[in-house]
Amino acid sequence: MNFRYLPATEEDKQDMLHTIGAEKMSDLFEDIPERIRTQEEMDLPEAASEPRLLKEMSQLSRKNADVRTYPSFLGAGVYDHYIPSVVDHVIRRSEFYTAYTPYQPEISQGELQAIFEFQTMISELTQMDIANSSMYDGHTALAEAALMAVSHSKMKKTKIIVSEGVHPEALAVLDTYAAGPGLTVVRVPLQGARTDKEVLEKEMDDQTAAVLIQYPNFFGTVEELKEIETMVHQKDSLFIVSSNPLALGILTPPGDFGADIVIGDTQPLGIPMQLGGPHCGYFATSRKLMRKMPGRLVGQTVDKEGNRGFVLTLQTREQHIRRDKATSNICSNQALNALASSVAMSALGKNGIRDMALQNLRKTNYFKEKLKHAGVSVVHEEPVFNEFVIHTQTDAAAVNRRLFEKGIIGGYDLGSVYEDRFGHMLLCVTEMRTRDEIDAAAAALKGAIK
């Protein structure tokens, strides 16, 4: 063996080739046309020894801007939040670390109970009847919700209306999902910092399967869900809300506004930023839509002796039921990250989640007022949760470079995504930022912009 971490010896390889009737490894690729095969050796450096490799990787990792060293004001879907230390201790236990619901799931009662608790807490946060075992991330959960709305109409309605206040990456995922079955996706612009309700009402028709709103929206603004819900249900369409679960610690839950489906990403609750992923999507809905919901559902029951137990109550993907009856074919749950969120929510409790959310709200408003007094232009005045937009008067990317020179991670350059938002920066403040860090960032932003 050349490398101790590759278990197959040369003898093992020859035995396998002999078993399948091949003489050499290249025979496995004979169906690939020779003209498109790489004939020369790969231009790769020589394999390094383990000590040398560790040293090189450590040097590369030190180039990362760590939020423990650099105060971060960057959000846009991935946030620096407090994570109780117990989260890491629990998810590193061997019973959970390679978590995947087994194909005889009732054997794994601990894993099923963890998923059941996750479902319960998501239902409470969103005030919806039921939640599934989790999904890949918030963006795919949003797209799956749109497909579910169309399926609920028995494909009679194929139009999806979505606010421009939804995360741009989620919009891209939705477009990709919609292209397959040929759905029509209509985007409604913002009026100020909120969804333009007049345009939305004009776009609503009998072909509209659902309306999708983000709450708070991508720009941090709290949308007015009640008015939107009324016009959506007047057209007998489904009302889908994408929501930051931490914000629901202080905002009225979408379920109380009559939402039919609530989806989002639980990254703010117990999941590190970890370079952008992986995350954990959640999916909650009303009881009447339960059987159309993608993914899996863990239920509580009792055994023949009356002891509490857990079972997979609903499995709607193609691995478990006939393919033509499946609600989705990519809805594996994020069991380990869902567990992290469950442990975080349990450790914080209702009061802790509310306190975290209040800190986000108060510190964000403090930062806004500090910037205004420094002469920095705040673009919108509507109520926000933990993000808001400023006008940098110049290239926001250049302003971020100046901030980084002062040891500060700046905000999200909206001009990199929106053609009409050059010089706009989305700033984020979480409970992790101290008053001193916020004051220093306000002063640095004033200097960087001038």
PDB file of all heavy atoms in Angstrom, residues 125-128 213 215-216 222-233 237-241 243 247-248 250-262:
ATOM      1  N   LEU A 125     -42.466  27.396  17.252  1.00  0.00           N
ATOM      2  CA  LEU A 125     -41.917  28.684  16.809  1.00  0.00           C
ATOM      3  C   LEU A 125     -42.759  29.303  15.699  1.00  0.00           C
ATOM      4  O   LEU A 125     -43.000  30.507  15.688  1.00  0.00           O
ATOM      5  CB  LEU A 125     -40.485  28.498  16.305  1.00  0.00           C
ATOM      6  CG  LEU A 125     -39.337  28.687  17.296  1.00  0.00           C
ATOM      7  CD1 LEU A 125     -38.011  28.388  16.620  1.00  0.00           C
ATOM      8  CD2 LEU A 125     -39.320  30.100  17.871  1.00  0.00           C
ATOM      9  N   THR A 126     -43.188  28.475  14.764  1.00  0.00           N
ATOM     10  CA  THR A 126     -43.914  28.979  13.597  1.00  0.00           C
ATOM     11  C   THR A 126     -45.414  29.054  13.816  1.00  0.00           C
ATOM     12  O   THR A 126     -46.123  29.671  13.032  1.00  0.00           O
ATOM     13  CB  THR A 126     -43.651  28.075  12.375  1.00  0.00           C
ATOM     14  OG1 THR A 126     -44.067  26.730  12.684  1.00  0.00           O
ATOM     15  CG2 THR A 126     -42.171  28.067  11.999  1.00  0.00           C
ATOM     16  N   GLN A 127     -45.904  28.391  14.887  1.00  0.00           N
ATOM     17  CA  GLN A 127     -47.337  28.272  15.170  1.00  0.00           C
ATOM     18  C   GLN A 127     -48.073  27.570  14.022  1.00  0.00           C
ATOM     19  O   GLN A 127     -49.182  27.955  13.640  1.00  0.00           O
ATOM     20  CB  GLN A 127     -47.954  29.634  15.468  1.00  0.00           C
ATOM     21  CG  GLN A 127     -47.644  30.160  16.861  1.00  0.00           C
ATOM     22  CD  GLN A 127     -48.159  29.244  17.973  1.00  0.00           C
ATOM     23  OE1 GLN A 127     -49.356  29.103  18.174  1.00  0.00           O
ATOM     24  NE2 GLN A 127     -47.232  28.621  18.709  1.00  0.00           N
ATOM     25  N   MET A 128     -47.441  26.517  13.510  1.00  0.00           N
ATOM     26  CA  MET A 128     -48.053  25.671  12.502  1.00  0.00           C
ATOM     27  C   MET A 128     -48.394  24.315  13.118  1.00  0.00           C
ATOM     28  O   MET A 128     -47.839  23.928  14.145  1.00  0.00           O
ATOM     29  CB  MET A 128     -47.115  25.491  11.302  1.00  0.00           C
ATOM     30  CG  MET A 128     -46.754  26.779  10.590  1.00  0.00           C
ATOM     31  SD  MET A 128     -48.177  27.675   9.926  1.00  0.00           S
ATOM     32  CE  MET A 128     -48.640  26.602   8.555  1.00  0.00           C
ATOM     33  N   ILE A 213     -43.341  34.923   0.426  1.00  0.00           N
ATOM     34  CA  ILE A 213     -42.844  36.131   1.074  1.00  0.00           C
ATOM     35  C   ILE A 213     -41.780  35.738   2.094  1.00  0.00           C
ATOM     36  O   ILE A 213     -41.910  34.705   2.762  1.00  0.00           O
ATOM     37  CB  ILE A 213     -43.989  36.887   1.800  1.00  0.00           C
ATOM     38  CG1 ILE A 213     -45.118  37.238   0.831  1.00  0.00           C
ATOM     39  CG2 ILE A 213     -43.455  38.145   2.505  1.00  0.00           C
ATOM     40  CD1 ILE A 213     -44.776  38.286  -0.192  1.00  0.00           C
ATOM     41  N   TYR A 215     -39.806  36.779   5.671  1.00  0.00           N
ATOM     42  CA  TYR A 215     -40.205  37.530   6.866  1.00  0.00           C
ATOM     43  C   TYR A 215     -39.255  37.221   8.022  1.00  0.00           C
ATOM     44  O   TYR A 215     -39.292  36.111   8.551  1.00  0.00           O
ATOM     45  CB  TYR A 215     -41.643  37.107   7.198  1.00  0.00           C
ATOM     46  CG  TYR A 215     -42.251  37.534   8.509  1.00  0.00           C
ATOM     47  CD1 TYR A 215     -42.750  38.815   8.687  1.00  0.00           C
ATOM     48  CD2 TYR A 215     -42.381  36.625   9.564  1.00  0.00           C
ATOM     49  CE1 TYR A 215     -43.366  39.182   9.884  1.00  0.00           C
ATOM     50  CE2 TYR A 215     -42.989  36.987  10.759  1.00  0.00           C
ATOM     51  CZ  TYR A 215     -43.482  38.261  10.912  1.00  0.00           C
ATOM     52  OH  TYR A 215     -44.096  38.622  12.093  1.00  0.00           O
ATOM     53  N   PRO A 216     -38.389  38.196   8.400  1.00  0.00           N
ATOM     54  CA  PRO A 216     -38.060  39.454   7.725  1.00  0.00           C
ATOM     55  C   PRO A 216     -37.464  39.173   6.342  1.00  0.00           C
ATOM     56  O   PRO A 216     -36.903  38.088   6.124  1.00  0.00           O
ATOM     57  CB  PRO A 216     -37.031  40.100   8.650  1.00  0.00           C
ATOM     58  CG  PRO A 216     -37.130  39.374   9.954  1.00  0.00           C
ATOM     59  CD  PRO A 216     -37.587  37.998   9.631  1.00  0.00           C
ATOM     60  N   VAL A 222     -39.268  43.955   8.132  1.00  0.00           N
ATOM     61  CA  VAL A 222     -40.391  43.118   8.551  1.00  0.00           C
ATOM     62  C   VAL A 222     -41.576  43.370   7.619  1.00  0.00           C
ATOM     63  O   VAL A 222     -42.095  44.487   7.543  1.00  0.00           O
ATOM     64  CB  VAL A 222     -40.787  43.416  10.010  1.00  0.00           C
ATOM     65  CG1 VAL A 222     -41.955  42.532  10.429  1.00  0.00           C
ATOM     66  CG2 VAL A 222     -39.597  43.210  10.944  1.00  0.00           C
ATOM     67  N   GLU A 223     -41.982  42.341   6.888  1.00  0.00           N
ATOM     68  CA  GLU A 223     -43.097  42.464   5.942  1.00  0.00           C
ATOM     69  C   GLU A 223     -44.444  42.483   6.681  1.00  0.00           C
ATOM     70  O   GLU A 223     -44.568  41.961   7.791  1.00  0.00           O
ATOM     71  CB  GLU A 223     -43.089  41.284   4.962  1.00  0.00           C
ATOM     72  CG  GLU A 223     -41.903  41.261   4.007  1.00  0.00           C
ATOM     73  CD  GLU A 223     -42.145  42.095   2.754  1.00  0.00           C
ATOM     74  OE1 GLU A 223     -43.170  42.801   2.695  1.00  0.00           O
ATOM     75  OE2 GLU A 223     -41.306  42.030   1.842  1.00  0.00           O
ATOM     76  N   GLU A 224     -45.452  43.089   6.040  1.00  0.00           N
ATOM     77  CA  GLU A 224     -46.804  43.156   6.607  1.00  0.00           C
ATOM     78  C   GLU A 224     -47.605  41.945   6.115  1.00  0.00           C
ATOM     79  O   GLU A 224     -48.284  41.992   5.092  1.00  0.00           O
ATOM     80  CB  GLU A 224     -47.470  44.466   6.196  1.00  0.00           C
ATOM     81  CG  GLU A 224     -46.742  45.692   6.745  1.00  0.00           C
ATOM     82  CD  GLU A 224     -47.299  46.993   6.197  1.00  0.00           C
ATOM     83  OE1 GLU A 224     -47.684  47.009   5.003  1.00  0.00           O
ATOM     84  OE2 GLU A 224     -47.330  47.988   6.934  1.00  0.00           O
ATOM     85  N   LEU A 225     -47.538  40.864   6.861  1.00  0.00           N
ATOM     86  CA  LEU A 225     -48.096  39.599   6.403  1.00  0.00           C
ATOM     87  C   LEU A 225     -49.617  39.581   6.383  1.00  0.00           C
ATOM     88  O   LEU A 225     -50.215  38.924   5.522  1.00  0.00           O
ATOM     89  CB  LEU A 225     -47.589  38.443   7.278  1.00  0.00           C
ATOM     90  CG  LEU A 225     -46.081  38.164   7.267  1.00  0.00           C
ATOM     91  CD1 LEU A 225     -45.801  36.879   8.038  1.00  0.00           C
ATOM     92  CD2 LEU A 225     -45.544  38.054   5.846  1.00  0.00           C
ATOM     93  N   LYS A 226     -50.266  40.265   7.305  1.00  0.00           N
ATOM     94  CA  LYS A 226     -51.714  40.151   7.413  1.00  0.00           C
ATOM     95  C   LYS A 226     -52.413  40.631   6.152  1.00  0.00           C
ATOM     96  O   LYS A 226     -53.329  39.961   5.634  1.00  0.00           O
ATOM     97  CB  LYS A 226     -52.224  40.938   8.634  1.00  0.00           C
ATOM     98  CG  LYS A 226     -53.713  40.729   8.916  1.00  0.00           C
ATOM     99  CD  LYS A 226     -54.024  39.237   9.114  1.00  0.00           C
ATOM    100  CE  LYS A 226     -55.511  38.972   9.228  1.00  0.00           C
ATOM    101  NZ  LYS A 226     -55.813  37.530   9.251  1.00  0.00           N
ATOM    102  N   GLU A 227     -51.998  41.775   5.620  1.00  0.00           N
ATOM    103  CA  GLU A 227     -52.629  42.306   4.415  1.00  0.00           C
ATOM    104  C   GLU A 227     -52.387  41.386   3.222  1.00  0.00           C
ATOM    105  O   GLU A 227     -53.272  41.174   2.392  1.00  0.00           O
ATOM    106  CB  GLU A 227     -52.087  43.706   4.123  1.00  0.00           C
ATOM    107  CG  GLU A 227     -52.461  44.751   5.164  1.00  0.00           C
ATOM    108  CD  GLU A 227     -51.892  46.112   4.828  1.00  0.00           C
ATOM    109  OE1 GLU A 227     -51.881  46.472   3.635  1.00  0.00           O
ATOM    110  OE2 GLU A 227     -51.435  46.808   5.751  1.00  0.00           O
ATOM    111  N   ILE A 228     -51.179  40.832   3.148  1.00  0.00           N
ATOM    112  CA  ILE A 228     -50.852  39.939   2.027  1.00  0.00           C
ATOM    113  C   ILE A 228     -51.666  38.655   2.127  1.00  0.00           C
ATOM    114  O   ILE A 228     -52.189  38.156   1.132  1.00  0.00           O
ATOM    115  CB  ILE A 228     -49.346  39.644   2.002  1.00  0.00           C
ATOM    116  CG1 ILE A 228     -48.564  40.943   1.750  1.00  0.00           C
ATOM    117  CG2 ILE A 228     -49.008  38.603   0.940  1.00  0.00           C
ATOM    118  CD1 ILE A 228     -47.065  40.793   1.869  1.00  0.00           C
ATOM    119  N   GLU A 229     -51.784  38.118   3.349  1.00  0.00           N
ATOM    120  CA  GLU A 229     -52.536  36.867   3.539  1.00  0.00           C
ATOM    121  C   GLU A 229     -53.973  37.002   3.051  1.00  0.00           C
ATOM    122  O   GLU A 229     -54.514  36.095   2.411  1.00  0.00           O
ATOM    123  CB  GLU A 229     -52.515  36.493   5.026  1.00  0.00           C
ATOM    124  CG  GLU A 229     -53.267  35.217   5.373  1.00  0.00           C
ATOM    125  CD  GLU A 229     -54.735  35.464   5.697  1.00  0.00           C
ATOM    126  OE1 GLU A 229     -55.056  36.581   6.150  1.00  0.00           O
ATOM    127  OE2 GLU A 229     -55.563  34.548   5.484  1.00  0.00           O
ATOM    128  N   THR A 230     -54.575  38.141   3.319  1.00  0.00           N
ATOM    129  CA  THR A 230     -55.974  38.345   2.924  1.00  0.00           C
ATOM    130  C   THR A 230     -56.139  38.264   1.412  1.00  0.00           C
ATOM    131  O   THR A 230     -57.019  37.550   0.903  1.00  0.00           O
ATOM    132  CB  THR A 230     -56.487  39.706   3.437  1.00  0.00           C
ATOM    133  OG1 THR A 230     -56.380  39.731   4.867  1.00  0.00           O
ATOM    134  CG2 THR A 230     -57.939  39.928   3.030  1.00  0.00           C
ATOM    135  N   MET A 231     -55.284  38.966   0.670  1.00  0.00           N
ATOM    136  CA  MET A 231     -55.425  38.964  -0.786  1.00  0.00           C
ATOM    137  C   MET A 231     -55.045  37.610  -1.396  1.00  0.00           C
ATOM    138  O   MET A 231     -55.604  37.203  -2.414  1.00  0.00           O
ATOM    139  CB  MET A 231     -54.616  40.111  -1.413  1.00  0.00           C
ATOM    140  CG  MET A 231     -53.127  40.026  -1.273  1.00  0.00           C
ATOM    141  SD  MET A 231     -52.286  41.402  -2.133  1.00  0.00           S
ATOM    142  CE  MET A 231     -52.668  42.782  -1.059  1.00  0.00           C
ATOM    143  N   VAL A 232     -54.119  36.887  -0.753  1.00  0.00           N
ATOM    144  CA  VAL A 232     -53.726  35.567  -1.260  1.00  0.00           C
ATOM    145  C   VAL A 232     -54.887  34.584  -1.132  1.00  0.00           C
ATOM    146  O   VAL A 232     -55.238  33.870  -2.084  1.00  0.00           O
ATOM    147  CB  VAL A 232     -52.489  35.041  -0.512  1.00  0.00           C
ATOM    148  CG1 VAL A 232     -52.219  33.569  -0.878  1.00  0.00           C
ATOM    149  CG2 VAL A 232     -51.267  35.883  -0.836  1.00  0.00           C
ATOM    150  N   HIS A 233     -55.505  34.525   0.021  1.00  0.00           N
ATOM    151  CA  HIS A 233     -56.568  33.561   0.245  1.00  0.00           C
ATOM    152  C   HIS A 233     -57.864  33.932  -0.455  1.00  0.00           C
ATOM    153  O   HIS A 233     -58.709  33.061  -0.696  1.00  0.00           O
ATOM    154  CB  HIS A 233     -56.773  33.369   1.751  1.00  0.00           C
ATOM    155  CG  HIS A 233     -55.684  32.565   2.392  1.00  0.00           C
ATOM    156  ND1 HIS A 233     -55.265  32.748   3.686  1.00  0.00           N
ATOM    157  CD2 HIS A 233     -54.902  31.562   1.900  1.00  0.00           C
ATOM    158  CE1 HIS A 233     -54.295  31.893   3.974  1.00  0.00           C
ATOM    159  NE2 HIS A 233     -54.052  31.163   2.893  1.00  0.00           N
ATOM    160  N   SER A 237     -55.363  30.782  -3.150  1.00  0.00           N
ATOM    161  CA  SER A 237     -53.973  30.365  -3.331  1.00  0.00           C
ATOM    162  C   SER A 237     -53.362  30.057  -1.966  1.00  0.00           C
ATOM    163  O   SER A 237     -53.937  30.404  -0.928  1.00  0.00           O
ATOM    164  CB  SER A 237     -53.169  31.472  -4.020  1.00  0.00           C
ATOM    165  OG  SER A 237     -53.735  31.800  -5.264  1.00  0.00           O
ATOM    166  N   LEU A 238     -52.200  29.405  -1.975  1.00  0.00           N
ATOM    167  CA  LEU A 238     -51.513  29.109  -0.722  1.00  0.00           C
ATOM    168  C   LEU A 238     -50.549  30.238  -0.376  1.00  0.00           C
ATOM    169  O   LEU A 238     -49.902  30.814  -1.261  1.00  0.00           O
ATOM    170  CB  LEU A 238     -50.762  27.788  -0.817  1.00  0.00           C
ATOM    171  CG  LEU A 238     -51.610  26.519  -0.982  1.00  0.00           C
ATOM    172  CD1 LEU A 238     -50.733  25.276  -0.892  1.00  0.00           C
ATOM    173  CD2 LEU A 238     -52.731  26.442   0.041  1.00  0.00           C
ATOM    174  N   PHE A 239     -50.448  30.530   0.907  1.00  0.00           N
ATOM    175  CA  PHE A 239     -49.575  31.585   1.406  1.00  0.00           C
ATOM    176  C   PHE A 239     -48.347  30.928   2.035  1.00  0.00           C
ATOM    177  O   PHE A 239     -48.447  30.222   3.039  1.00  0.00           O
ATOM    178  CB  PHE A 239     -50.329  32.424   2.431  1.00  0.00           C
ATOM    179  CG  PHE A 239     -49.579  33.632   2.917  1.00  0.00           C
ATOM    180  CD1 PHE A 239     -48.678  34.302   2.099  1.00  0.00           C
ATOM    181  CD2 PHE A 239     -49.789  34.113   4.202  1.00  0.00           C
ATOM    182  CE1 PHE A 239     -48.001  35.420   2.552  1.00  0.00           C
ATOM    183  CE2 PHE A 239     -49.122  35.234   4.664  1.00  0.00           C
ATOM    184  CZ  PHE A 239     -48.225  35.886   3.840  1.00  0.00           C
ATOM    185  N   ILE A 240     -47.175  31.139   1.425  1.00  0.00           N
ATOM    186  CA  ILE A 240     -45.921  30.533   1.873  1.00  0.00           C
ATOM    187  C   ILE A 240     -45.017  31.624   2.440  1.00  0.00           C
ATOM    188  O   ILE A 240     -44.782  32.644   1.788  1.00  0.00           O
ATOM    189  CB  ILE A 240     -45.200  29.810   0.715  1.00  0.00           C
ATOM    190  CG1 ILE A 240     -46.113  28.744   0.109  1.00  0.00           C
ATOM    191  CG2 ILE A 240     -43.896  29.193   1.191  1.00  0.00           C
ATOM    192  CD1 ILE A 240     -45.551  28.099  -1.157  1.00  0.00           C
ATOM    193  N   VAL A 241     -44.505  31.403   3.635  1.00  0.00           N
ATOM    194  CA  VAL A 241     -43.643  32.387   4.297  1.00  0.00           C
ATOM    195  C   VAL A 241     -42.305  31.740   4.635  1.00  0.00           C
ATOM    196  O   VAL A 241     -42.259  30.686   5.273  1.00  0.00           O
ATOM    197  CB  VAL A 241     -44.298  32.933   5.585  1.00  0.00           C
ATOM    198  CG1 VAL A 241     -43.369  33.948   6.256  1.00  0.00           C
ATOM    199  CG2 VAL A 241     -45.649  33.569   5.265  1.00  0.00           C
ATOM    200  N   SER A 243     -39.052  32.213   6.821  1.00  0.00           N
ATOM    201  CA  SER A 243     -38.795  33.007   8.020  1.00  0.00           C
ATOM    202  C   SER A 243     -37.542  32.577   8.763  1.00  0.00           C
ATOM    203  O   SER A 243     -37.258  31.386   8.902  1.00  0.00           O
ATOM    204  CB  SER A 243     -39.998  32.922   8.966  1.00  0.00           C
ATOM    205  OG  SER A 243     -39.927  33.898   9.954  1.00  0.00           O
ATOM    206  N   ALA A 247     -35.865  35.165  14.578  1.00  0.00           N
ATOM    207  CA  ALA A 247     -36.724  36.349  14.575  1.00  0.00           C
ATOM    208  C   ALA A 247     -38.090  36.052  15.162  1.00  0.00           C
ATOM    209  O   ALA A 247     -38.742  36.938  15.735  1.00  0.00           O
ATOM    210  CB  ALA A 247     -36.868  36.889  13.151  1.00  0.00           C
ATOM    211  N   LEU A 248     -38.518  34.799  15.052  1.00  0.00           N
ATOM    212  CA  LEU A 248     -39.839  34.422  15.573  1.00  0.00           C
ATOM    213  C   LEU A 248     -39.867  34.389  17.100  1.00  0.00           C
ATOM    214  O   LEU A 248     -40.916  34.173  17.702  1.00  0.00           O
ATOM    215  CB  LEU A 248     -40.270  33.071  15.004  1.00  0.00           C
ATOM    216  CG  LEU A 248     -40.388  33.024  13.470  1.00  0.00           C
ATOM    217  CD1 LEU A 248     -40.911  31.671  13.017  1.00  0.00           C
ATOM    218  CD2 LEU A 248     -41.274  34.147  12.947  1.00  0.00           C
ATOM    219  N   ILE A 250     -39.480  37.037  18.738  1.00  0.00           N
ATOM    220  CA  ILE A 250     -40.175  38.275  19.113  1.00  0.00           C
ATOM    221  C   ILE A 250     -41.239  38.702  18.094  1.00  0.00           C
ATOM    222  O   ILE A 250     -42.149  39.447  18.439  1.00  0.00           O
ATOM    223  CB  ILE A 250     -39.187  39.456  19.321  1.00  0.00           C
ATOM    224  CG1 ILE A 250     -38.265  39.630  18.106  1.00  0.00           C
ATOM    225  CG2 ILE A 250     -38.397  39.279  20.594  1.00  0.00           C
ATOM    226  CD1 ILE A 250     -37.432  40.877  18.182  1.00  0.00           C
ATOM    227  N   LEU A 251     -41.128  38.250  16.849  1.00  0.00           N
ATOM    228  CA  LEU A 251     -42.133  38.610  15.852  1.00  0.00           C
ATOM    229  C   LEU A 251     -43.333  37.673  15.942  1.00  0.00           C
ATOM    230  O   LEU A 251     -43.201  36.519  16.356  1.00  0.00           O
ATOM    231  CB  LEU A 251     -41.539  38.529  14.439  1.00  0.00           C
ATOM    232  CG  LEU A 251     -40.384  39.477  14.104  1.00  0.00           C
ATOM    233  CD1 LEU A 251     -39.946  39.259  12.657  1.00  0.00           C
ATOM    234  CD2 LEU A 251     -40.777  40.930  14.323  1.00  0.00           C
ATOM    235  N   THR A 252     -44.493  38.166  15.540  1.00  0.00           N
ATOM    236  CA  THR A 252     -45.678  37.314  15.489  1.00  0.00           C
ATOM    237  C   THR A 252     -45.433  36.184  14.493  1.00  0.00           C
ATOM    238  O   THR A 252     -45.049  36.433  13.353  1.00  0.00           O
ATOM    239  CB  THR A 252     -46.910  38.127  15.042  1.00  0.00           C
ATOM    240  OG1 THR A 252     -47.109  39.203  15.964  1.00  0.00           O
ATOM    241  CG2 THR A 252     -48.153  37.259  15.004  1.00  0.00           C
ATOM    242  N   PRO A 253     -45.631  34.932  14.878  1.00  0.00           N
ATOM    243  CA  PRO A 253     -45.343  33.803  13.977  1.00  0.00           C
ATOM    244  C   PRO A 253     -46.236  33.829  12.735  1.00  0.00           C
ATOM    245  O   PRO A 253     -47.391  34.265  12.807  1.00  0.00           O
ATOM    246  CB  PRO A 253     -45.637  32.577  14.836  1.00  0.00           C
ATOM    247  CG  PRO A 253     -45.613  33.062  16.240  1.00  0.00           C
ATOM    248  CD  PRO A 253     -46.068  34.484  16.202  1.00  0.00           C
ATOM    249  N   PRO A 254     -45.727  33.364  11.595  1.00  0.00           N
ATOM    250  CA  PRO A 254     -46.536  33.335  10.362  1.00  0.00           C
ATOM    251  C   PRO A 254     -47.827  32.542  10.507  1.00  0.00           C
ATOM    252  O   PRO A 254     -48.829  32.861   9.871  1.00  0.00           O
ATOM    253  CB  PRO A 254     -45.601  32.686   9.342  1.00  0.00           C
ATOM    254  CG  PRO A 254     -44.225  32.971   9.854  1.00  0.00           C
ATOM    255  CD  PRO A 254     -44.348  32.938  11.344  1.00  0.00           C
ATOM    256  N   GLY A 255     -47.813  31.493  11.347  1.00  0.00           N
ATOM    257  CA  GLY A 255     -49.019  30.707  11.553  1.00  0.00           C
ATOM    258  C   GLY A 255     -50.163  31.539  12.100  1.00  0.00           C
ATOM    259  O   GLY A 255     -51.331  31.307  11.771  1.00  0.00           O
ATOM    260  N   ASP A 256     -49.836  32.529  12.925  1.00  0.00           N
ATOM    261  CA  ASP A 256     -50.872  33.407  13.474  1.00  0.00           C
ATOM    262  C   ASP A 256     -51.441  34.353  12.427  1.00  0.00           C
ATOM    263  O   ASP A 256     -52.500  34.955  12.632  1.00  0.00           O
ATOM    264  CB  ASP A 256     -50.304  34.214  14.646  1.00  0.00           C
ATOM    265  CG  ASP A 256     -50.113  33.364  15.900  1.00  0.00           C
ATOM    266  OD1 ASP A 256     -50.555  32.197  15.895  1.00  0.00           O
ATOM    267  OD2 ASP A 256     -49.504  33.864  16.863  1.00  0.00           O
ATOM    268  N   PHE A 257     -50.722  34.514  11.313  1.00  0.00           N
ATOM    269  CA  PHE A 257     -51.209  35.344  10.212  1.00  0.00           C
ATOM    270  C   PHE A 257     -51.932  34.519   9.153  1.00  0.00           C
ATOM    271  O   PHE A 257     -52.306  35.037   8.106  1.00  0.00           O
ATOM    272  CB  PHE A 257     -50.043  36.095   9.557  1.00  0.00           C
ATOM    273  CG  PHE A 257     -49.526  37.251  10.365  1.00  0.00           C
ATOM    274  CD1 PHE A 257     -48.219  37.262  10.823  1.00  0.00           C
ATOM    275  CD2 PHE A 257     -50.334  38.336  10.659  1.00  0.00           C
ATOM    276  CE1 PHE A 257     -47.730  38.330  11.571  1.00  0.00           C
ATOM    277  CE2 PHE A 257     -49.857  39.414  11.399  1.00  0.00           C
ATOM    278  CZ  PHE A 257     -48.550  39.408  11.858  1.00  0.00           C
ATOM    279  N   GLY A 258     -52.085  33.225   9.392  1.00  0.00           N
ATOM    280  CA  GLY A 258     -52.803  32.381   8.449  1.00  0.00           C
ATOM    281  C   GLY A 258     -51.954  31.776   7.350  1.00  0.00           C
ATOM    282  O   GLY A 258     -52.488  31.367   6.309  1.00  0.00           O
ATOM    283  N   ALA A 259     -50.631  31.687   7.556  1.00  0.00           N
ATOM    284  CA  ALA A 259     -49.763  31.068   6.552  1.00  0.00           C
ATOM    285  C   ALA A 259     -50.123  29.592   6.372  1.00  0.00           C
ATOM    286  O   ALA A 259     -50.480  28.908   7.336  1.00  0.00           O
ATOM    287  CB  ALA A 259     -48.301  31.203   6.953  1.00  0.00           C
ATOM    288  N   ASP A 260     -50.024  29.114   5.148  1.00  0.00           N
ATOM    289  CA  ASP A 260     -50.295  27.698   4.860  1.00  0.00           C
ATOM    290  C   ASP A 260     -49.034  26.853   4.988  1.00  0.00           C
ATOM    291  O   ASP A 260     -49.097  25.685   5.392  1.00  0.00           O
ATOM    292  CB  ASP A 260     -50.860  27.549   3.444  1.00  0.00           C
ATOM    293  CG  ASP A 260     -52.189  28.245   3.292  1.00  0.00           C
ATOM    294  OD1 ASP A 260     -53.158  27.821   3.941  1.00  0.00           O
ATOM    295  OD2 ASP A 260     -52.255  29.243   2.533  1.00  0.00           O
ATOM    296  N   ILE A 261     -47.903  27.431   4.606  1.00  0.00           N
ATOM    297  CA  ILE A 261     -46.607  26.738   4.692  1.00  0.00           C
ATOM    298  C   ILE A 261     -45.587  27.742   5.214  1.00  0.00           C
ATOM    299  O   ILE A 261     -45.536  28.888   4.751  1.00  0.00           O
ATOM    300  CB  ILE A 261     -46.144  26.206   3.320  1.00  0.00           C
ATOM    301  CG1 ILE A 261     -47.219  25.318   2.680  1.00  0.00           C
ATOM    302  CG2 ILE A 261     -44.844  25.427   3.458  1.00  0.00           C
ATOM    303  CD1 ILE A 261     -46.909  24.942   1.225  1.00  0.00           C
ATOM    304  N   VAL A 262     -44.779  27.323   6.176  1.00  0.00           N
ATOM    305  CA  VAL A 262     -43.688  28.155   6.681  1.00  0.00           C
ATOM    306  C   VAL A 262     -42.399  27.359   6.545  1.00  0.00           C
ATOM    307  O   VAL A 262     -42.312  26.217   6.998  1.00  0.00           O
ATOM    308  CB  VAL A 262     -43.912  28.564   8.149  1.00  0.00           C
ATOM    309  CG1 VAL A 262     -42.798  29.504   8.613  1.00  0.00           C
ATOM    310  CG2 VAL A 262     -45.269  29.235   8.325  1.00  0.00           C
TER     311      VAL A 262
END
